[in-house]
Amino acid sequence: MSKYNCGPGDPFDMLAEEAAEVIQAIMKYKRFGLLDSPENYEGTHPLDQIHREIGDFLAVLGMCVNESRLTPEYIETAVDDKIARLKEFFGYDFYAE
């Protein structure tokens, strides 16, 4: 049984919200940095929060794919294009050992 009766709403609205939460977690990390090593950190470690928010984003992205709003093939093409641009502009090679 669902916790909420309203349903998930528009998956694209959820995806935008999750993207904003990824941005917020990264900006908090950039602003406050790491105060201590993870084992000594009280509360949520900034990198843990970034991992959680990216996981949430990927889950909702999967929901958008499952509902046929987005296609995996187009996403994979976009990823490949971005990887090529990163290599061209910055020399970053994802496949280097």
Side-chain angles (χ1 to χ4, degrees):
M1 174 161 224
S2 297
K3 182 176 180 178
Y4 300 105
N5 293 331
C6 62
D10 186 337
F12 283 147
D13 289 344
M14 291 177 66
L15 191 62
E17 179 184 346
E18 296 302 340
E21 290 175 6
V22 170
I23 293 167
Q24 181 182 32
I26 291 170
M27 294 311 296
K28 282 185 178 180
Y29 170 78
K30 288 181 66 74
R31 183 179 211 185
F32 300 112
L34 297 176
L35 301 178
D36 203 346
S37 61
E39 60 274 0
N40 295 327
Y41 206 90
E42 291 188 23
T44 303
H45 191 273
L47 289 177
D48 291 341
Q49 190 64 34
I50 292 170
H51 281 95
R52 273 197 278 276
E53 298 301 348
I54 289 173
D56 290 352
F57 177 84
L58 291 174
V60 175
L61 178 62
M63 188 169 88
C64 290
V65 169
N66 286 342
E67 292 192 1
S68 300
R69 300 219 178 180
L70 299 171
T71 61
E73 296 80 18
Y74 284 157
I75 293 170
E76 289 170 14
T77 298
V79 168
D80 291 341
D81 291 347
K82 183 64 173 185
I83 289 171
R85 288 192 310 274
L86 289 170
K87 184 171 185 176
E88 176 186 353
F89 297 140
F90 305 109
Y92 188 85
D93 188 358
F94 276 78
Y95 308 108
E97 291 185 29

Coordinates of all heavy atoms in Angstrom, one line a residue:
M1 N 0.8 -1.2 0.0 CA 0.0 0.0 0.0 C 0.9 1.2 0.0 O 1.9 1.3 0.7 CB -0.9 0.0 1.2 CG -1.7 1.2 1.4 SD -3.1 0.9 2.5 CE -4.3 1.8 1.6
S2 N 0.5 2.2 -0.8 CA 1.2 3.5 -0.9 C 1.1 4.3 0.4 O 0.1 4.3 1.1 CB 0.7 4.3 -2.0 OG 0.9 3.6 -3.2
K3 N 2.2 5.0 0.7 CA 2.2 6.0 1.8 C 1.3 7.2 1.5 O 0.7 7.7 2.4 CB 3.6 6.4 2.1 CG 3.8 7.3 3.3 CD 5.2 7.5 3.6 CE 5.4 8.4 4.8 NZ 6.8 8.7 5.2
Y4 N 1.3 7.6 0.2 CA 0.6 8.8 -0.2 C -0.5 8.4 -1.2 O -0.3 7.6 -2.0 CB 1.5 9.8 -0.8 CG 2.6 10.3 0.1 CD1 3.9 9.9 0.0 CD2 2.3 11.2 1.2 CE1 4.9 10.3 0.8 CE2 3.3 11.6 2.1 CZ 4.6 11.1 1.9 OH 5.6 11.5 2.7
N5 N -1.6 9.0 -1.1 CA -2.8 8.8 -2.0 C -2.7 9.6 -3.3 O -3.4 9.3 -4.2 CB -4.1 9.0 -1.3 CG -4.3 8.1 -0.1 OD1 -3.9 7.0 -0.1 ND2 -5.1 8.5 0.9
C6 N -1.8 10.6 -3.3 CA -1.8 11.5 -4.4 C -1.1 10.9 -5.7 O -1.2 11.5 -6.8 CB -1.2 12.8 -4.1 SG 0.5 12.7 -3.5
G7 N -0.4 9.8 -5.5 CA 0.4 9.3 -6.6 C 1.7 10.0 -6.8 O 1.9 11.1 -6.2
P8 N 2.6 9.6 -7.7 CA 3.9 10.2 -7.8 C 3.8 11.5 -8.5 O 4.8 12.3 -8.5 CB 4.7 9.2 -8.6 CG 3.7 8.4 -9.3 CD 2.4 8.4 -8.5
G9 N 2.8 11.8 -9.3 CA 2.7 13.0 -10.1 C 3.5 12.8 -11.4 O 3.8 11.7 -11.8
D10 N 3.8 13.9 -12.0 CA 4.5 13.9 -13.3 C 6.0 13.5 -13.0 O 6.7 14.1 -12.3 CB 4.5 15.3 -13.9 CG 5.1 15.3 -15.3 OD1 5.9 14.4 -15.7 OD2 4.7 16.2 -16.1
P11 N 6.4 12.4 -13.7 CA 7.8 12.0 -13.5 C 8.8 13.1 -13.8 O 9.9 13.1 -13.2 CB 7.9 10.8 -14.4 CG 6.6 10.3 -14.6 CD 5.7 11.5 -14.5
F12 N 8.5 13.9 -14.8 CA 9.5 15.0 -15.2 C 9.6 16.0 -14.1 O 10.7 16.5 -13.8 CB 9.1 15.6 -16.5 CG 9.5 14.8 -17.7 CD1 8.7 14.9 -18.8 CD2 10.6 14.0 -17.7 CE1 9.0 14.2 -20.0 CE2 10.9 13.3 -18.9 CZ 10.1 13.3 -20.0
D13 N 8.5 16.3 -13.4 CA 8.6 17.2 -12.2 C 9.5 16.5 -11.1 O 10.3 17.2 -10.5 CB 7.2 17.4 -11.6 CG 6.3 18.3 -12.5 OD1 6.9 19.0 -13.4 OD2 5.1 18.3 -12.3
M14 N 9.3 15.2 -10.9 CA 10.1 14.5 -9.9 C 11.6 14.5 -10.3 O 12.5 14.7 -9.5 CB 9.6 13.1 -9.7 CG 8.3 13.0 -9.1 SD 7.7 11.3 -9.0 CE 8.9 10.6 -7.9
L15 N 11.8 14.3 -11.6 CA 13.2 14.3 -12.1 C 13.9 15.7 -11.9 O 15.0 15.8 -11.5 CB 13.2 13.9 -13.6 CG 14.6 13.6 -14.2 CD1 15.2 12.4 -13.5 CD2 14.4 13.3 -15.7
A16 N 13.1 16.7 -12.2 CA 13.7 18.1 -12.0 C 14.0 18.3 -10.5 O 15.0 18.9 -10.2 CB 12.7 19.1 -12.5
E17 N 13.1 17.9 -9.6 CA 13.3 18.1 -8.2 C 14.5 17.3 -7.7 O 15.3 17.8 -7.0 CB 12.0 17.6 -7.4 CG 12.2 17.7 -5.9 CD 11.0 17.1 -5.2 OE1 9.9 16.9 -5.8 OE2 11.1 16.9 -4.0
E18 N 14.7 16.1 -8.2 CA 15.8 15.3 -7.8 C 17.1 15.9 -8.4 O 18.2 15.9 -7.7 CB 15.7 13.8 -8.3 CG 14.6 13.1 -7.7 CD 14.6 13.0 -6.1 OE1 15.7 13.2 -5.6 OE2 13.6 12.7 -5.5
A19 N 17.1 16.4 -9.6 CA 18.3 17.1 -10.2 C 18.6 18.3 -9.3 O 19.8 18.5 -9.0 CB 18.0 17.6 -11.6
A20 N 17.6 19.1 -8.8 CA 17.9 20.2 -7.9 C 18.5 19.7 -6.6 O 19.4 20.4 -6.1 CB 16.6 21.0 -7.7
E21 N 18.1 18.6 -6.1 CA 18.7 18.1 -4.9 C 20.1 17.6 -5.1 O 20.9 17.8 -4.1 CB 17.8 17.0 -4.3 CG 16.5 17.5 -3.8 CD 15.5 16.5 -3.3 OE1 15.8 15.3 -3.3 OE2 14.3 16.9 -3.0
V22 N 20.4 17.1 -6.2 CA 21.8 16.8 -6.5 C 22.7 18.1 -6.5 O 23.7 18.1 -5.9 CB 22.0 16.1 -7.9 CG1 23.4 15.9 -8.3 CG2 21.3 14.7 -7.8
I23 N 22.2 19.1 -7.2 CA 22.9 20.4 -7.2 C 23.1 20.9 -5.8 O 24.1 21.4 -5.5 CB 22.1 21.4 -8.1 CG1 22.1 20.9 -9.6 CG2 22.7 22.8 -8.0 CD1 21.2 21.6 -10.5
Q24 N 22.0 20.9 -5.0 CA 22.1 21.4 -3.7 C 23.2 20.7 -2.8 O 24.0 21.3 -2.1 CB 20.8 21.3 -3.0 CG 20.8 21.9 -1.6 CD 19.4 21.7 -0.9 OE1 18.7 20.8 -1.1 NE2 19.1 22.6 0.0
A25 N 23.2 19.3 -3.0 CA 24.2 18.6 -2.2 C 25.6 18.9 -2.7 O 26.5 19.0 -1.8 CB 23.9 17.1 -2.4
I26 N 25.8 19.0 -3.9 CA 27.1 19.4 -4.5 C 27.5 20.8 -4.0 O 28.7 21.0 -3.6 CB 27.2 19.2 -6.0 CG1 27.1 17.8 -6.4 CG2 28.4 19.9 -6.6 CD1 26.9 17.5 -7.8
M27 N 26.6 21.7 -4.0 CA 26.9 23.1 -3.6 C 27.2 23.2 -2.1 O 28.1 23.9 -1.7 CB 25.8 24.0 -4.0 CG 25.6 24.2 -5.5 SD 27.1 24.5 -6.5 CE 27.6 26.1 -5.8
K28 N 26.6 22.4 -1.3 CA 26.9 22.3 0.1 C 28.3 21.8 0.3 O 29.0 22.3 1.2 CB 25.9 21.5 0.9 CG 24.6 22.3 1.1 CD 23.6 21.5 2.0 CE 22.4 22.3 2.3 NZ 21.5 21.5 3.1
Y29 N 28.6 20.8 -0.5 CA 30.0 20.2 -0.4 C 31.0 21.3 -0.8 O 32.0 21.4 -0.1 CB 30.1 19.0 -1.3 CG 31.5 18.5 -1.5 CD1 32.1 17.7 -0.5 CD2 32.2 18.7 -2.6 CE1 33.4 17.2 -0.7 CE2 33.5 18.3 -2.8 CZ 34.1 17.5 -1.8 OH 35.3 17.1 -2.0
K30 N 30.7 22.0 -1.9 CA 31.7 23.0 -2.3 C 31.8 24.2 -1.3 O 32.8 24.7 -1.1 CB 31.3 23.5 -3.7 CG 31.5 22.5 -4.8 CD 31.1 23.1 -6.2 CE 32.0 24.2 -6.6 NZ 33.3 24.0 -7.0
R31 N 30.7 24.5 -0.7 CA 30.6 25.6 0.2 C 31.3 25.3 1.6 O 32.1 26.1 2.1 CB 29.2 26.1 0.5 CG 29.1 27.3 1.4 CD 27.6 27.6 1.5 NE 27.5 29.0 1.7 CZ 26.3 29.6 2.0 NH1 25.2 28.9 2.0 NH2 26.3 30.9 2.1
F32 N 31.0 24.1 2.1 CA 31.4 23.8 3.5 C 32.6 22.8 3.5 O 33.3 22.7 4.5 CB 30.3 23.2 4.3 CG 29.1 24.2 4.4 CD1 27.9 24.0 3.8 CD2 29.3 25.4 5.1 CE1 26.9 24.9 3.9 CE2 28.3 26.3 5.2 CZ 27.0 26.0 4.6
G33 N 32.8 22.1 2.4 CA 33.9 21.2 2.3 C 33.7 20.0 3.2 O 32.6 19.8 3.7
L34 N 34.7 19.3 3.4 CA 34.7 18.1 4.3 C 35.3 18.6 5.6 O 36.4 19.1 5.7 CB 35.5 17.0 3.8 CG 35.0 16.4 2.5 CD1 36.0 15.3 2.0 CD2 33.7 15.8 2.7
L35 N 34.5 18.5 6.7 CA 35.0 18.9 8.0 C 35.9 17.9 8.7 O 36.7 18.3 9.5 CB 33.8 19.2 8.9 CG 32.9 20.3 8.4 CD1 31.7 20.5 9.3 CD2 33.6 21.6 8.2
D36 N 35.8 16.7 8.3 CA 36.6 15.6 8.9 C 36.4 14.4 8.1 O 35.7 14.3 7.1 CB 36.0 15.3 10.3 CG 37.1 14.7 11.3 OD1 38.1 14.2 10.7 OD2 36.8 14.7 12.5
S37 N 37.1 13.3 8.4 CA 37.0 12.1 7.7 C 35.6 11.5 8.0 O 35.0 11.7 9.0 CB 38.1 11.1 8.1 OG 38.0 10.8 9.5
P38 N 35.1 10.6 7.1 CA 33.8 10.1 7.2 C 33.5 9.4 8.5 O 32.4 9.6 9.1 CB 33.7 9.1 6.0 CG 34.6 9.6 5.0 CD 35.8 10.2 5.8
E39 N 34.5 8.7 9.1 CA 34.2 7.9 10.3 C 34.0 8.9 11.5 O 33.5 8.5 12.5 CB 35.2 6.9 10.6 CG 36.7 7.4 10.7 CD 37.4 7.6 9.4 OE1 36.8 7.3 8.3 OE2 38.6 8.0 9.4
N40 N 34.6 10.1 11.4 CA 34.4 11.0 12.5 C 33.4 12.1 12.3 O 33.2 13.0 13.1 CB 35.8 11.7 12.8 CG 36.9 10.8 13.2 OD1 36.6 9.8 13.9 ND2 38.1 11.0 12.8
Y41 N 32.6 12.0 11.2 CA 31.7 13.0 10.9 C 30.4 12.8 11.6 O 29.8 11.7 11.6 CB 31.5 13.0 9.3 CG 31.0 14.3 8.8 CD1 31.9 15.2 8.4 CD2 29.7 14.6 8.7 CE1 31.5 16.5 7.8 CE2 29.2 15.8 8.2 CZ 30.2 16.7 7.8 OH 29.7 17.9 7.3
E42 N 29.9 13.8 12.3 CA 28.5 13.7 12.9 C 27.5 14.2 11.9 O 27.6 15.2 11.3 CB 28.5 14.6 14.2 CG 29.4 14.0 15.3 CD 29.2 14.7 16.6 OE1 28.1 15.3 16.8 OE2 30.1 14.7 17.4
G43 N 26.5 13.4 11.8 CA 25.5 13.8 10.8 C 25.8 13.1 9.4 O 26.6 12.2 9.4
T44 N 25.2 13.6 8.4 CA 25.4 13.0 7.1 C 26.6 13.6 6.4 O 26.8 14.8 6.3 CB 24.2 13.3 6.2 OG1 23.0 12.7 6.8 CG2 24.3 12.6 4.8
H45 N 27.6 12.8 6.1 CA 28.8 13.2 5.4 C 28.4 13.8 4.0 O 27.5 13.2 3.3 CB 29.7 12.0 5.2 CG 31.1 12.4 4.8 ND1 31.4 12.6 3.5 CD2 32.2 12.7 5.5 CE1 32.7 12.9 3.4 NE2 33.2 13.0 4.6
P46 N 29.0 14.9 3.6 CA 28.6 15.5 2.3 C 28.7 14.5 1.1 O 27.8 14.6 0.3 CB 29.6 16.7 2.2 CG 30.0 17.0 3.6 CD 30.0 15.7 4.3
L47 N 29.7 13.7 1.1 CA 29.8 12.8 -0.1 C 28.7 11.7 0.0 O 28.2 11.3 -1.0 CB 31.2 12.1 -0.1 CG 32.3 13.0 -0.5 CD1 33.7 12.3 -0.5 CD2 32.1 13.6 -1.9
D48 N 28.3 11.3 1.2 CA 27.2 10.4 1.4 C 25.9 11.0 0.8 O 25.1 10.3 0.1 CB 27.0 9.9 2.8 CG 28.1 9.1 3.4 OD1 28.9 8.5 2.5 OD2 28.2 9.0 4.6
Q49 N 25.7 12.3 1.1 CA 24.5 12.9 0.7 C 24.5 13.1 -0.8 O 23.5 12.9 -1.5 CB 24.4 14.3 1.3 CG 23.1 15.0 1.1 CD 21.9 14.3 1.7 OE1 22.1 13.6 2.7 NE2 20.8 14.3 1.0
I50 N 25.7 13.4 -1.4 CA 25.8 13.4 -2.9 C 25.4 12.1 -3.5 O 24.6 12.0 -4.5 CB 27.2 13.9 -3.3 CG1 27.3 15.4 -3.0 CG2 27.3 13.7 -4.9 CD1 28.8 15.9 -3.1
H51 N 26.0 11.0 -2.9 CA 25.7 9.6 -3.4 C 24.2 9.4 -3.3 O 23.6 8.8 -4.3 CB 26.4 8.6 -2.6 CG 27.8 8.4 -3.0 ND1 28.9 9.1 -2.4 CD2 28.4 7.7 -4.0 CE1 30.0 8.8 -3.0 NE2 29.8 7.9 -4.0
R52 N 23.6 9.7 -2.2 CA 22.1 9.4 -2.0 C 21.3 10.2 -3.1 O 20.4 9.7 -3.7 CB 21.7 9.8 -0.6 CG 21.8 8.7 0.4 CD 21.0 9.0 1.6 NE 21.7 9.9 2.5 CZ 22.6 9.5 3.4 NH1 23.0 8.2 3.5 NH2 23.2 10.4 4.2
E53 N 21.6 11.5 -3.3 CA 20.9 12.3 -4.2 C 21.0 11.8 -5.6 O 20.1 11.8 -6.4 CB 21.2 13.8 -4.0 CG 20.9 14.4 -2.7 CD 19.5 14.3 -2.2 OE1 18.6 14.0 -3.0 OE2 19.2 14.6 -1.0
I54 N 22.2 11.4 -6.0 CA 22.4 10.9 -7.3 C 21.6 9.6 -7.5 O 21.0 9.3 -8.5 CB 23.9 10.7 -7.7 CG1 24.6 12.1 -7.8 CG2 24.1 9.8 -8.9 CD1 26.1 12.0 -7.9
G55 N 21.6 8.8 -6.5 CA 20.8 7.5 -6.5 C 19.3 7.8 -6.7 O 18.7 7.2 -7.5
D56 N 18.8 8.8 -6.0 CA 17.4 9.2 -6.1 C 17.2 9.7 -7.5 O 16.1 9.3 -8.1 CB 17.1 10.3 -5.1 CG 17.0 9.9 -3.7 OD1 17.1 8.7 -3.4 OD2 16.9 10.8 -2.8
F57 N 18.1 10.5 -8.1 CA 17.9 11.0 -9.5 C 17.9 9.8 -10.4 O 17.0 9.8 -11.3 CB 19.1 11.9 -9.8 CG 19.0 12.4 -11.2 CD1 18.2 13.5 -11.6 CD2 19.7 11.8 -12.2 CE1 18.1 13.9 -12.9 CE2 19.7 12.2 -13.5 CZ 18.9 13.3 -13.9
L58 N 18.8 8.9 -10.3 CA 18.9 7.7 -11.2 C 17.6 6.9 -11.1 O 17.1 6.4 -12.1 CB 20.1 6.9 -11.0 CG 21.4 7.6 -11.4 CD1 22.6 6.7 -10.9 CD2 21.5 7.9 -12.9
A59 N 17.1 6.7 -9.9 CA 15.8 6.0 -9.7 C 14.7 6.6 -10.5 O 13.9 5.9 -11.1 CB 15.5 5.8 -8.2
V60 N 14.5 7.9 -10.3 CA 13.4 8.6 -11.0 C 13.7 8.6 -12.5 O 12.8 8.5 -13.3 CB 13.2 10.0 -10.4 CG1 12.2 10.8 -11.2 CG2 12.8 9.9 -9.0
L61 N 14.9 8.8 -13.0 CA 15.3 8.6 -14.4 C 14.8 7.3 -14.9 O 14.2 7.2 -16.0 CB 16.8 8.8 -14.6 CG 17.3 8.7 -16.0 CD1 16.6 9.8 -16.9 CD2 18.8 8.8 -16.1
G62 N 15.1 6.2 -14.1 CA 14.6 4.9 -14.5 C 13.1 4.9 -14.6 O 12.5 4.2 -15.5
M63 N 12.4 5.6 -13.7 CA 10.9 5.6 -13.8 C 10.5 6.3 -15.1 O 9.5 5.8 -15.7 CB 10.4 6.4 -12.6 CG 8.9 6.3 -12.4 SD 8.3 7.0 -10.8 CE 8.2 8.7 -11.3
C64 N 11.2 7.4 -15.5 CA 10.8 8.0 -16.7 C 11.0 7.1 -17.9 O 10.2 7.1 -18.9 CB 11.7 9.3 -16.9 SG 11.2 10.6 -15.8
V65 N 12.1 6.3 -17.9 CA 12.3 5.3 -19.0 C 11.2 4.3 -18.9 O 10.7 3.9 -20.0 CB 13.7 4.7 -18.8 CG1 13.9 3.5 -19.8 CG2 14.8 5.8 -19.1
N66 N 10.9 3.7 -17.8 CA 9.9 2.7 -17.6 C 8.5 3.2 -18.2 O 7.8 2.4 -18.7 CB 9.7 2.2 -16.2 CG 10.9 1.4 -15.8 OD1 11.6 0.8 -16.6 ND2 11.1 1.2 -14.5
E67 N 8.2 4.4 -18.0 CA 7.0 5.0 -18.5 C 7.0 5.4 -19.9 O 6.1 6.1 -20.4 CB 6.5 6.1 -17.6 CG 6.1 5.6 -16.2 CD 5.4 6.6 -15.4 OE1 5.2 7.8 -15.9 OE2 5.1 6.3 -14.2
S68 N 8.1 5.1 -20.6 CA 8.3 5.4 -22.0 C 8.3 6.9 -22.3 O 8.0 7.3 -23.4 CB 7.2 4.7 -22.9 OG 7.3 3.3 -22.7
R69 N 8.7 7.7 -21.3 CA 8.9 9.1 -21.6 C 10.3 9.4 -22.1 O 10.5 10.4 -22.8 CB 8.7 9.9 -20.3 CG 7.3 9.7 -19.7 CD 6.8 10.9 -19.2 NE 5.4 10.8 -18.6 CZ 4.8 11.8 -18.1 NH1 5.4 12.9 -18.0 NH2 3.6 11.6 -17.7
L70 N 11.2 8.6 -21.8 CA 12.6 8.7 -22.3 C 13.0 7.3 -22.8 O 12.5 6.3 -22.3 CB 13.5 9.2 -21.2 CG 13.2 10.5 -20.6 CD1 14.1 10.8 -19.4 CD2 13.4 11.6 -21.6
T71 N 13.9 7.3 -23.7 CA 14.4 6.0 -24.2 C 15.9 5.8 -23.9 O 16.7 6.7 -24.0 CB 14.2 5.9 -25.8 OG1 15.0 6.9 -26.4 CG2 12.8 6.1 -26.2
P72 N 16.2 4.6 -23.5 CA 17.6 4.3 -23.1 C 18.6 4.5 -24.2 O 19.7 5.0 -24.0 CB 17.5 2.8 -22.7 CG 16.1 2.4 -22.5 CD 15.3 3.4 -23.3
E73 N 18.1 4.3 -25.4 CA 19.0 4.5 -26.6 C 19.4 5.9 -26.7 O 20.6 6.2 -27.0 CB 18.4 4.0 -27.9 CG 18.1 2.5 -27.9 CD 16.8 2.1 -27.1 OE1 16.0 2.9 -26.9 OE2 16.7 0.9 -26.8
Y74 N 18.5 6.8 -26.6 CA 18.8 8.3 -26.7 C 19.7 8.7 -25.6 O 20.6 9.5 -25.7 CB 17.5 9.1 -26.7 CG 16.8 9.1 -28.1 CD1 15.4 9.4 -28.1 CD2 17.4 8.8 -29.3 CE1 14.7 9.4 -29.3 CE2 16.7 8.8 -30.5 CZ 15.4 9.1 -30.5 OH 14.7 9.1 -31.7
I75 N 19.4 8.2 -24.4 CA 20.2 8.5 -23.2 C 21.7 8.0 -23.4 O 22.6 8.8 -23.2 CB 19.6 8.0 -21.9 CG1 18.3 8.6 -21.6 CG2 20.6 8.1 -20.8 CD1 17.5 8.0 -20.5
E76 N 21.8 6.8 -23.9 CA 23.1 6.2 -24.2 C 23.9 7.0 -25.2 O 25.1 7.3 -25.1 CB 23.0 4.8 -24.6 CG 22.6 3.9 -23.4 CD 22.2 2.5 -23.9 OE1 22.6 2.1 -25.0 OE2 21.7 1.7 -23.1
T77 N 23.2 7.5 -26.3 CA 23.8 8.3 -27.3 C 24.2 9.6 -26.7 O 25.4 10.1 -27.0 CB 22.8 8.5 -28.5 OG1 22.5 7.3 -29.0 CG2 23.4 9.4 -29.5
A78 N 23.4 10.2 -25.9 CA 23.8 11.5 -25.2 C 25.0 11.3 -24.3 O 25.9 12.2 -24.3 CB 22.6 12.0 -24.5
V79 N 25.1 10.2 -23.6 CA 26.2 9.9 -22.8 C 27.5 9.8 -23.6 O 28.5 10.4 -23.3 CB 26.0 8.7 -21.9 CG1 27.3 8.2 -21.2 CG2 24.9 8.9 -20.8
D80 N 27.4 9.0 -24.7 CA 28.5 8.8 -25.6 C 29.0 10.2 -26.2 O 30.2 10.4 -26.3 CB 28.2 7.9 -26.7 CG 28.0 6.4 -26.2 OD1 28.5 6.1 -25.1 OD2 27.4 5.6 -26.9
D81 N 28.0 11.0 -26.6 CA 28.4 12.3 -27.1 C 29.1 13.2 -26.0 O 30.1 13.9 -26.4 CB 27.1 13.1 -27.6 CG 26.5 12.4 -28.8 OD1 27.2 11.6 -29.5 OD2 25.3 12.8 -29.1
K82 N 28.6 13.2 -24.8 CA 29.2 13.9 -23.7 C 30.6 13.4 -23.5 O 31.6 14.2 -23.3 CB 28.4 13.9 -22.5 CG 28.9 14.7 -21.3 CD 28.9 16.2 -21.7 CE 29.3 17.1 -20.5 NZ 29.2 18.5 -20.8
I83 N 30.8 12.1 -23.4 CA 32.1 11.6 -23.2 C 33.1 12.0 -24.3 O 34.2 12.4 -24.0 CB 32.1 10.0 -23.1 CG1 31.4 9.6 -21.8 CG2 33.4 9.4 -23.3 CD1 31.1 8.1 -21.7
A84 N 32.6 12.0 -25.5 CA 33.5 12.5 -26.7 C 33.8 14.0 -26.5 O 35.0 14.4 -26.8 CB 32.8 12.2 -28.0
R85 N 32.9 14.8 -26.1 CA 33.2 16.2 -25.9 C 34.2 16.4 -24.7 O 35.0 17.3 -24.8 CB 31.9 17.0 -25.6 CG 31.0 17.2 -26.9 CD 29.9 18.2 -26.7 NE 29.1 18.0 -25.5 CZ 28.0 17.2 -25.4 NH1 27.7 16.4 -26.4 NH2 27.3 17.1 -24.3
L86 N 34.0 15.7 -23.7 CA 35.0 15.8 -22.6 C 36.4 15.4 -23.0 O 37.3 16.1 -22.6 CB 34.5 14.9 -21.4 CG 33.3 15.4 -20.6 CD1 32.8 14.3 -19.7 CD2 33.5 16.7 -19.9
K87 N 36.5 14.4 -23.8 CA 37.8 14.0 -24.3 C 38.3 15.1 -25.3 O 39.5 15.5 -25.2 CB 37.7 12.7 -25.0 CG 39.1 12.2 -25.5 CD 39.1 10.8 -26.0 CE 40.5 10.3 -26.3 NZ 40.5 8.9 -26.7
E88 N 37.5 15.6 -26.2 CA 37.9 16.6 -27.1 C 38.3 17.9 -26.4 O 39.4 18.5 -26.7 CB 36.8 16.9 -28.1 CG 37.1 18.0 -29.1 CD 35.9 18.4 -29.9 OE1 34.9 17.7 -29.9 OE2 36.0 19.4 -30.7
F89 N 37.5 18.4 -25.5 CA 37.8 19.7 -24.9 C 38.8 19.7 -23.7 O 39.5 20.6 -23.5 CB 36.5 20.3 -24.4 CG 35.5 20.6 -25.5 CD1 34.1 20.3 -25.3 CD2 35.9 21.1 -26.7 CE1 33.2 20.6 -26.3 CE2 35.0 21.4 -27.7 CZ 33.6 21.1 -27.5
F90 N 38.8 18.6 -23.0 CA 39.6 18.5 -21.8 C 40.6 17.4 -21.7 O 41.4 17.3 -20.8 CB 38.7 18.4 -20.5 CG 37.7 19.5 -20.4 CD1 36.3 19.2 -20.6 CD2 38.0 20.8 -20.2 CE1 35.4 20.2 -20.6 CE2 37.1 21.8 -20.1 CZ 35.8 21.5 -20.3
G91 N 40.6 16.5 -22.7 CA 41.5 15.4 -22.8 C 41.2 14.3 -21.8 O 42.0 13.4 -21.5
Y92 N 40.0 14.3 -21.2 CA 39.6 13.3 -20.3 C 39.2 12.1 -21.0 O 38.3 12.1 -21.9 CB 38.4 13.8 -19.4 CG 38.1 12.9 -18.3 CD1 38.8 13.0 -17.1 CD2 37.2 11.9 -18.4 CE1 38.6 12.1 -16.0 CE2 36.9 11.0 -17.3 CZ 37.6 11.1 -16.2 OH 37.4 10.2 -15.1
D93 N 39.8 10.9 -20.6 CA 39.6 9.7 -21.3 C 38.9 8.7 -20.2 O 39.6 8.3 -19.3 CB 40.8 9.1 -21.8 CG 40.6 7.8 -22.7 OD1 39.4 7.4 -22.8 OD2 41.6 7.3 -23.2
F94 N 37.7 8.4 -20.4 CA 36.9 7.6 -19.5 C 37.5 6.1 -19.5 O 37.3 5.4 -18.5 CB 35.5 7.5 -19.9 CG 34.7 8.6 -19.3 CD1 34.7 9.9 -19.9 CD2 33.8 8.4 -18.2 CE1 34.0 10.9 -19.4 CE2 33.1 9.5 -17.7 CZ 33.2 10.7 -18.3
Y95 N 38.1 5.8 -20.6 CA 38.5 4.4 -20.8 C 40.0 4.2 -20.6 O 40.5 3.1 -20.8 CB 38.0 3.9 -22.1 CG 36.5 4.2 -22.3 CD1 36.1 5.1 -23.2 CD2 35.6 3.5 -21.6 CE1 34.8 5.4 -23.4 CE2 34.2 3.7 -21.8 CZ 33.8 4.7 -22.6 OH 32.5 5.0 -22.8
A96 N 40.7 5.2 -20.1 CA 42.1 5.0 -19.9 C 42.3 4.2 -18.6 O 41.6 4.2 -17.7 CB 42.8 6.4 -19.7
E97 N 43.4 3.4 -18.6 CA 43.7 2.6 -17.5 C 44.7 3.3 -16.5 O 45.4 4.1 -16.8 CB 44.3 1.3 -17.9 CG 43.3 0.5 -18.6 CD 43.8 -0.9 -19.0 OE1 44.7 -1.4 -18.3 OE2 43.3 -1.5 -20.0

